[in-house]
Amino acid sequence: MRDVNMSTKYDPTAVEAGRYQNWLDEKLFAPEANKAIQGNEPEPYSIVIPPPNVTGKLHLGHAWDTTLQDMIIRQKRMQGFDTLWLPGMDHAGIATQAKVEQRLRGEGISRYDLGREKFVEQVWDWKNEYASTIKQQWGKMGLSLDYDRERFTLDSGLNEAVNKVFIDLYNKGLIYRGEYIINWDPQARTALSDIEVIYQDDEGAFYHVKYPFTDGTTLDGKDYIEIATTRPETIFGDVAVAVNPSDERYKDIIGKTVKVPLVGREIPIIADEYVEKDFGTGMVKITPAHDPNDFQVGNRHDLERINTMTEDAHMNANAGKYEGLDRFEARKAMVADMEEAGDMLRIEPYTHSVGHSERTGVAIESRLSTQWFVKMEPLAKQILAMQQNEDEKVNFVPGRFEDTFTRWMDNIRDWVISRQLWWGHQIPAWYKNKGTDQEEIFVGTEAPGEDWVRDEDVLDTWFSSALWPFSTMGWPNEDAEDFKKYYPTNTLVTGYDIIFFWVARMMFQGKEFTGERPFKNVLIHGLIRDGEGRKMSKSLGNGVDPMDVIEKYGADALRWFLATGSTPGQDVRFTYEKMDAAWNFINKIWNASRYVIMNLEEDTVARIPDASKLSLADKWILDRLNKTVKDVTTMFDKFEFGEAGRDLYNFIWSDFADWYIEMTKESLNGDGDKTAVQETLAYVLDQTLRLLQPIMPFMAEAIWQEMPEQAGKDAHLGVQAYPEYKKELENEDAAASFKSLQDLIVAVRTIRAEAKAPMSKEIDVMIKVKDAKLVEIFNDNADYIQRFVKPKSLTIAEDVAVPDLAMSQVITGAEVYVPLAGLIDIDAEIERLEGELAKFEKEVARGNGKLSNEKFVSSAPEAVVAKEKEKLADWQEKAEATKKRLADLKNA
């Protein structure tokens, strides 16, 4: 046996040590290096990484996302494509600023204490710290990224792209500035888009308050109307009460006026279709500065807008004596005062859905504010039209997510893009005489003259990340080499939770500014959940650090679990039991490979021997390998990585390790010429490792480099050719013959197990065949039968005198008997056979039912119907043979 540098147990730490750095040093992930290795002008294939936020370490969701991307790009690289996987990170605007402000609060200071310039320096320090950590994590995962092309959403090139997009959209009338009700985060003191608001159920109340008539009018005998509100702190902003114009109850009070509690300000009762007659009292207070629907009502009726709160959600001067109180403190004080004044009719506890900031977690305010917006309807229409063209559309995988995307685009609202932050792309807009009647606005990268002041706001982080697929390629320079070669990108991999945040925005920005879709495919995956199906979160304490998993099991075990754990679009549940199974599988591969490599010669070449030198087992394993190559490649093309994993698992564990390697031991331990079996073993192992490389790059290369052809060389598996399906390796005869041999071996082993007869116990084996061809197959492979069955005597014939006392198994085309007089209970054997017969008869009934269905027979493909008939005949044969054996036993 050859000496190999492989431990007897898979040790991921030893296998992975230094290997990734070696790949980087060799620049194996650069398209230029790949092109040189392939030696041609290959077709480009590109992926841009969804840039992680520089807010912290990567989690399991990132590990899943990047593993899928790495598998795709590694396979394409081996298939000869000119591959680019471009890395980068997102400045993440509000998310990163919130983290840094939280750190500063712990030191007792705020960003305002530092000022903008010094605060931004602090954020850059944070970015550099966490970007370094993220890159280390990418390395631990083995990601084949081209770091020479790494980008950051705040770098100068992307800033140029952001400015051009903003200016061009403004000049086209698709970006505008206006005063509207927006979502406001009072902790971060910034506007939020609708999809940055997370709704959750909060315990609140309906406060029923008196609004007295000003002129002595009565309604139902009362000199006031009853208004219910969940937010009494906004009362100071009330400018009207509205009723539905068709509500007969209130037609006589339309035009009357009432007094606002605590203020005494007179406001009118108006009619508007917005009010639902059947909800509550059918009367609502109108507060245009604090509610988006009220804002629209106020516009229709030309009502005043009174803002009652500061940016940090404290009451302002319009709240009178409550000025300076936090909004929730003010609510308590106002309720107490209204109760004392007799204006509070009753308070009903009420659980309602309240919007919270996705980043800071605080309850948002609907705030009247002047902001910058993108007019979305024209952009959405353009994308929806693009999706109707098969040659231009983005293909969603799974396809059902396109419906989700389309529904959102059909009902899209204008996008508020300005953020009152200091960390981000500063808006390229300038003001002269801001806040006066003579205010002028100029949009451009430089001020048009003196006395112009730049807008202090920054852009929503999604505005810059929406440009990621093309801004990272050198755009707006459309002559940039990478842009011309690698855009549009091929595949985007991302979670379903950011389809609206990111995927949609990349699509409309890509189409608007490049005229093309930004990617051909978008593969949508689910979320990582714990073993109980719960979303991982800090509050539940069920989060898992992928680096901890790698430390224990190795990167390849984690990658295998993530690659094969679910189907596209579905969530995956993480458990350590699954990680144990992943490690065990790799250990199986390791040990099987070690055995093979140890039994090769120093000059063994991984190739297919001449057909005349191949045994049945050789032909069978080559056929099985060939089918596996075809199936795995097909599943990768469909992004069905779970199915590809199952194909690989079954081939490696069962076909290669449990069957073929075991069958080669007879030849390897014998005295004959071993060349053919050694070459076949080497070829199958070589091709298998190539199939595994995209999923398990560390382990696959470590084993491959131990093979005789690679020993002492500095070759890398990741840039070798990927296996291809070979028509000439198809061998249905070998597959069928080997299946019969397998069935025979399994049948005898089953009999031994049921009779509790160990392999050391001598038994006679009698095989009664119905097909003369089986006699030839079994006789030609008697050596295998001897090795795996251990018979004292072996009888193979079409006419076999079956003893009265024997255990039996029925296989396709034959019956297997083992005389076991004195070893079994005949009654127990009869019971077993009756169970077998019931199973066979059930299959016969199923087959008859299917073939008697005229709809099935007439509509199914001819080959499918023929296959059903073939299966039915097989079950009928087995049932008849079992009946005969039962009759013999009962008459014995």
Side-chain angles (χ1 to χ4, degrees):
M1 281 191 168
R2 294 175 65 242
D3 287 332
V4 294
N5 186 30
M6 295 178 68
S7 61
T8 56
K9 185 179 179 182
Y10 174 62
D11 180 359
T13 303
V15 166
E16 294 169 15
R19 195 169 297 275
Y20 188 74
Q21 188 59 49
N22 183 234
W23 293 337
L24 295 182
D25 293 343
E26 297 284 338
K27 291 193 175 294
L28 299 183
F29 307 148
E32 294 81 5
N34 189 48
K35 181 178 177 181
I37 291 164
Q38 299 296 341
N40 54 18
E41 288 291 338
E43 179 184 346
Y45 194 101
S46 60
I47 297 176
V48 290
I49 198 169
N53 295 345
V54 287
T55 49
K57 298 177 181 179
L58 301 183
H59 52 65
L60 267 181
H62 291 114
W64 187 13
D65 195 88
T66 52
T67 293
L68 298 182
Q69 293 169 70
D70 195 34
M71 287 163 51
I72 295 169
I73 212 74
R74 282 180 177 274
Q75 188 208 41
K76 295 301 179 185
R77 186 179 292 121
M78 295 179 75
Q79 288 177 328
F81 288 84
D82 179 5
T83 54
L84 169 62
W85 187 17
L86 189 147
M89 301 178 203
D90 197 323
H91 68 282
I94 186 173
T96 306
Q97 180 159 320
K99 289 283 188 180
V100 177
E101 288 196 78
Q102 183 180 20
R103 176 189 279 183
L104 291 175
R105 280 197 297 274
E107 300 171 7
I109 55 178
S110 74
R111 61 169 157 146
Y112 303 102
D113 297 326
L114 293 175
R116 185 168 192 151
E117 185 176 339
K118 289 190 178 300
F119 175 76
V120 170
E121 287 177 7
Q122 293 263 345
V123 188
W124 274 108
D125 289 343
W126 173 285
K127 178 266 176 187
N128 293 332
E129 175 187 346
Y130 280 94
S132 176
T133 299
I134 288 169
K135 288 179 72 170
Q136 290 173 15
Q137 291 181 299
W138 282 345
K140 292 287 284 184
M141 290 291 300
L143 306 185
S144 58
L145 295 155
D146 180 11
Y147 291 105
D148 288 342
R149 286 174 165 84
E150 183 180 351
R151 304 303 297 269
F152 182 56
T153 53
L154 270 183
D155 68 28
S156 59
L158 270 70
N159 183 248
E160 180 185 356
V162 166
N163 285 336
K164 176 174 173 55
V165 167
F166 186 96
I167 294 166
D168 285 2
L169 288 176
Y170 177 81
N171 290 335
K172 292 176 182 178
L174 294 175
I175 280 183
Y176 63 93
R177 186 168 177 261
E179 188 178 44
Y180 291 90
I181 289 286
I182 47 88
N183 304 305
W184 183 262
D185 181 330
Q187 180 171 306
R189 302 189 194 183
T190 183
L192 302 174
S193 65
D194 289 344
I195 52 179
E196 291 174 300
V197 178
I198 306 300
Y199 286 87
Q200 65 186 49
D201 287 343
D202 285 358
E203 295 298 324
F206 261 130
Y207 300 89
H208 293 259
V209 182
K210 289 181 181 178
Y211 281 63
F213 287 105
T214 59
D215 60 358
T217 298
T218 60
L219 178 68
D220 297 330
K222 300 172 183 174
D223 61 356
Y224 60 86
I225 59 172
E226 179 180 329
I227 297 295
T229 179
T230 59
R231 306 188 65 229
E233 65 273 17
T234 65
I235 279 176
F236 294 106
D238 291 354
V239 294
V241 169
V243 298
N244 191 289
S246 64
D247 194 333
E248 292 294 323
R249 294 174 295 174
Y250 304 131
K251 64 180 181 180
D252 293 335
I253 63 170
I254 295 172
K256 299 287 186 179
T257 58
V258 292
K259 287 183 181 180
V260 179
L262 300 176
V263 185
R265 187 175 65 253
E266 191 172 333
I267 61 174
I269 298 175
I270 62 173
D272 195 279
E273 294 285 353
Y274 158 67
V275 183
E276 297 179 38
K277 291 189 294 185
D278 299 327
F279 184 77
T281 61
M283 292 185 284
V284 296
K285 70 189 193 73
I286 302 300
T287 318
H290 289 281
D291 182 276
N293 294 311
D294 291 6
F295 178 80
Q296 298 297 333
V297 174
N299 286 350
R300 287 194 289 271
H301 296 269
D302 195 25
L303 298 174
E304 183 183 4
R305 302 164 184 165
I306 303 174
N307 187 5
T308 67
M309 290 186 204
T310 62
E311 289 183 350
D312 60 351
H314 285 68
M315 308 308 290
N316 65 19
N318 289 326
K321 72 174 187 177
Y322 306 100
E323 181 180 3
L325 289 179
D326 168 79
R327 54 183 165 166
F328 299 121
E329 292 174 354
R331 178 186 297 180
K332 293 177 184 176
M334 291 167 67
V335 167
D337 287 348
M338 283 189 284
E339 286 180 320
E340 184 177 345
D343 290 332
M344 184 66 65
L345 294 169
R346 64 186 182 282
I347 301 173
E348 296 176 338
Y350 177 65
T351 301
H352 57 144
S353 182
V354 176
H356 290 254
S357 169
E358 181 197 30
R359 295 302 179 186
T360 64
V362 301
I364 64 152
E365 283 293 330
S366 293
R367 178 178 174 82
L368 183 66
S369 180
T370 300
Q371 303 286 342
W372 289 94
F373 295 82
V374 174
K375 192 178 294 183
M376 288 303 306
E377 187 178 359
L379 297 169
K381 285 181 177 177
Q382 186 173 234
I383 289 302
L384 292 171
M386 181 184 80
Q387 289 303 101
Q388 299 304 309
N389 188 320
E390 287 298 322
D391 295 329
E392 294 184 1
K393 69 178 294 190
V394 171
N395 301 301
F396 282 77
V397 182
R400 69 178 183 273
F401 285 107
E402 183 168 0
D403 295 334
T404 304
F405 165 81
T406 300
R407 283 195 300 273
W408 187 70
M409 294 297 276
D410 278 335
N411 299 286
I412 199 164
R413 294 171 58 181
D414 286 357
W415 173 20
V416 55
I417 55 172
S418 45
R419 297 290 183 271
Q420 289 64 54
L421 305 171
W422 292 349
W423 175 245
H425 291 276
Q426 195 167 351
I427 291 174
W430 305 79
Y431 305 96
K432 194 170 186 179
N433 303 316
K434 187 177 182 181
T436 70
D437 293 340
Q438 288 78 41
E439 179 178 277
E440 297 178 59
I441 299 176
F442 173 78
V443 171
T445 54
E446 301 290 339
E450 295 183 0
D451 301 324
W452 288 81
V453 178
R454 187 164 186 176
D455 195 315
E456 293 187 354
D457 289 354
V458 301
L459 288 162
D460 178 11
T461 189
W462 297 103
F463 192 91
S464 52
S465 58
L467 317 181
W468 186 250
F470 54 94
S471 62
T472 55
M473 302 286 188
W475 189 93
N477 176 12
E478 296 187 356
D479 291 324
E481 185 177 348
D482 281 357
F483 180 73
K484 290 194 295 184
K485 181 183 290 187
Y486 298 113
Y487 186 84
T489 64
N490 292 78
T491 300
L492 173 77
V493 181
T494 191
Y496 58 62
D497 53 331
I498 58 172
I499 291 176
F500 310 136
F501 282 98
W502 193 43
V503 177
R505 288 166 174 170
M506 283 189 288
M507 287 172 65
F508 72 70
Q509 295 284 46
K511 180 64 175 175
E512 176 69 16
F513 286 95
T514 72
E516 298 185 84
R517 58 190 172 183
F519 27 78
K520 296 174 184 175
N521 306 298
V522 54
L523 172 60
I524 305 293
H525 60 76
L527 303 176
I528 296 277
R529 299 187 180 275
D530 68 9
E532 298 176 28
R534 300 174 301 176
K535 186 175 179 179
M536 291 185 175
S537 68
K538 289 182 181 178
S539 60
L540 291 174
N542 62 346
V544 175
D545 187 336
M547 297 303 109
D548 292 342
V549 179
I550 290 173
E551 187 72 25
K552 182 176 181 180
Y553 295 96
D556 286 336
L558 177 59
R559 288 170 64 107
W560 175 259
F561 159 71
L562 294 171
T564 61
S566 77
T567 55
Q570 299 298 312
D571 294 343
V572 65
R573 294 189 181 191
F574 176 89
T575 67
Y576 283 101
E577 289 77 14
K578 291 178 180 178
M579 288 307 308
D580 289 336
W583 185 91
N584 286 335
F585 178 48
I586 297 178
N587 195 53
K588 176 86 169 183
I589 299 169
W590 183 266
N591 286 324
S593 302
R594 182 174 181 273
Y595 173 81
V596 169
I597 295 171
M598 289 172 64
N599 280 282
L600 302 179
E601 303 297 336
E602 296 296 341
D603 59 352
T604 298
V605 178
R607 64 187 175 194
I608 304 169
D610 185 88
S612 63
K613 298 180 180 180
L614 296 176
S615 68
L616 174 63
D618 296 335
K619 294 174 183 176
W620 168 77
I621 197 64
L622 290 171
D623 178 74
R624 285 293 304 120
L625 170 67
N626 202 39
K627 286 184 171 67
T628 302
V629 168
K630 183 178 182 180
D631 292 344
V632 169
T633 304
T634 298
M635 290 303 111
F636 259 69
D637 288 344
K638 293 179 177 179
F639 305 116
E640 293 280 359
F641 301 120
E643 291 301 315
R646 277 182 276 280
D647 286 333
L648 280 167
Y649 183 92
N650 292 334
F651 172 75
I652 294 167
W653 193 291
S654 179
D655 297 337
F656 186 52
D658 287 355
W659 280 101
Y660 182 66
I661 288 178
E662 287 301 315
M663 287 192 159
T664 63
K665 289 180 179 178
E666 194 71 28
S667 299
L668 293 173
N669 295 328
D671 297 326
D673 185 3
K674 306 172 186 176
T675 304
V677 70
Q678 288 174 322
E679 289 179 348
T680 305
L681 274 167
Y683 177 78
V684 174
L685 178 57
D686 172 271
Q687 296 292 291
T688 302
L689 292 171
R690 292 172 191 240
L691 288 173
L692 286 169
Q693 191 278 153
I695 311 176
M696 304 176 178
F698 293 102
M699 178 275 296
E701 179 171 279
I703 296 173
W704 185 78
Q705 289 179 340
E706 291 294 328
M707 296 185 71
E709 285 181 272
Q710 311 309 327
K713 298 180 182 178
D714 192 24
H716 294 281
L717 181 57
V719 289
Q720 306 304 311
Y722 196 75
E724 294 182 353
Y725 179 73
K726 295 178 171 62
K727 180 72 175 176
E728 63 271 20
L729 288 183
E730 281 187 9
N731 199 324
E732 293 301 327
D733 287 342
S737 297
F738 195 83
K739 176 66 165 59
S740 296
L741 192 61
Q742 282 181 305
D743 288 347
L744 168 61
I745 293 167
V746 170
V748 177
R749 286 180 167 181
T750 300
I751 290 172
R752 278 188 176 277
E754 289 175 350
K756 296 182 174 55
M759 290 295 286
S760 59
K761 186 174 185 62
E762 294 184 339
I763 60 172
D764 297 316
V765 177
M766 307 172 74
I767 306 168
K768 183 178 181 180
V769 298
K770 296 184 179 180
D771 183 349
K773 187 178 179 182
L774 281 182
V775 176
E776 181 182 349
I777 292 170
F778 291 151
N779 282 326
D780 288 348
N781 294 280
D783 288 348
Y784 290 135
I785 298 173
Q786 289 288 342
R787 176 174 177 78
F788 285 89
V789 171
K790 305 285 188 188
K792 180 171 68 173
S793 65
L794 177 63
T795 304
I796 304 170
E798 291 183 72
D799 185 20
V800 174
V802 181
D804 291 336
L805 294 177
M807 289 189 71
S808 65
Q809 286 279 320
V810 179
I811 63 174
T812 301
E815 298 165 46
V816 182
Y817 299 96
V818 176
L820 292 174
L823 290 180
I824 66 164
D825 181 333
I826 293 179
D827 290 337
E829 177 62 2
I830 288 172
E831 184 178 350
R832 185 189 72 80
L833 287 173
E834 285 176 339
E836 287 284 290
L837 179 60
K839 181 179 73 174
F840 295 152
E841 287 180 335
K842 183 178 180 181
E843 291 297 330
V844 169
R846 185 200 63 80
N848 278 325
K850 202 165 190 178
L851 290 169
S852 63
N853 184 334
E854 291 184 11
K855 185 176 180 182
F856 168 74
V857 175
S858 61
S859 61
E862 191 175 320
V864 173
V865 176
K867 189 69 176 176
E868 283 297 325
K869 289 180 178 178
E870 183 182 321
K871 287 195 290 187
L872 175 59
D874 185 33
W875 290 118
Q876 287 173 329
E877 181 181 313
K878 289 177 179 177
E880 289 304 315
T882 304
K883 283 181 184 176
K884 184 175 183 304
R885 185 61 192 145
L886 269 170
D888 291 342
L889 277 179
K890 289 178 179 179
N891 294 328

